[in-house]
Amino acid sequence: GYEQKHFSAAEKRGRLRVVASPDAHDGSVTIHADAAIYAGLVDGDEQVTQPLPAGRKAYLHVVRGSVEVNGHALAAGDAAKLEDEPQLVLRHGRDAEVLLFDLAA
């Protein structure tokens, strides 16, 4: 199957907005995998905290701009793999756009 949907900047501003999930929750598109994909925009004083479920892995990709991820500075094109972390914290964004992949371990 194929789905396409637009998510406005306002829906992603200062938060991680689920855009794809196995059960299409919160208006996301359906993905046929044990995974979820989130998109977010972080700038200035905005801080985003996302709990990471135990037993899962997370992969964060910085699409543009720069942002601090759990205390590590990342710029456009950089990525972080997170495992055994209780949460993801994004802050000090400079026009940052990110994608977070919540993946089975």
Side-chain angles (χ1 to χ4, degrees), residues 1 3 7 14 19 29 31-32 41-43 45 47-48 51 55 59 62 70 72-73 77 79-80 91 102:
E3 288 182 71
F7 297 93
V19 295
V29 298
I31 185 171
H32 300 287
L41 301 171
V42 184
D43 195 36
D45 292 333
Q47 179 171 308
V48 177
Y59 176 85
V62 181
N70 287 14
H72 300 278
R91 60 187 192 150
D102 172 358

Side-chain angles (χ1 to χ4, degrees), residues 56-78:
R56 297 195 55 89
K57 295 181 181 182
Y59 176 85
L60 182 110
H61 177 76
V62 181
V63 176
R64 66 178 160 93
S66 62
V67 66
E68 184 180 288
V69 179
N70 287 14
H72 300 278
L74 298 180
D78 290 342

Side-chain angles (χ1 to χ4, degrees), residues 1-2 4 10 13 15-16 19 22-24 26 29 32 34 43 47 50 52 56-57 71 82-83 89 93 102:
Y2 176 82
Q4 181 174 325
R13 170 66 45 216
R15 65 185 289 239
L16 288 170
V19 295
D23 59 359
D26 295 331
V29 298
H32 300 287
D34 184 7
D43 195 36
Q47 179 171 308
Q50 177 81 10
L52 299 174
R56 297 195 55 89
K57 295 181 181 182
L82 298 122
E83 189 173 357
V89 179
D102 172 358

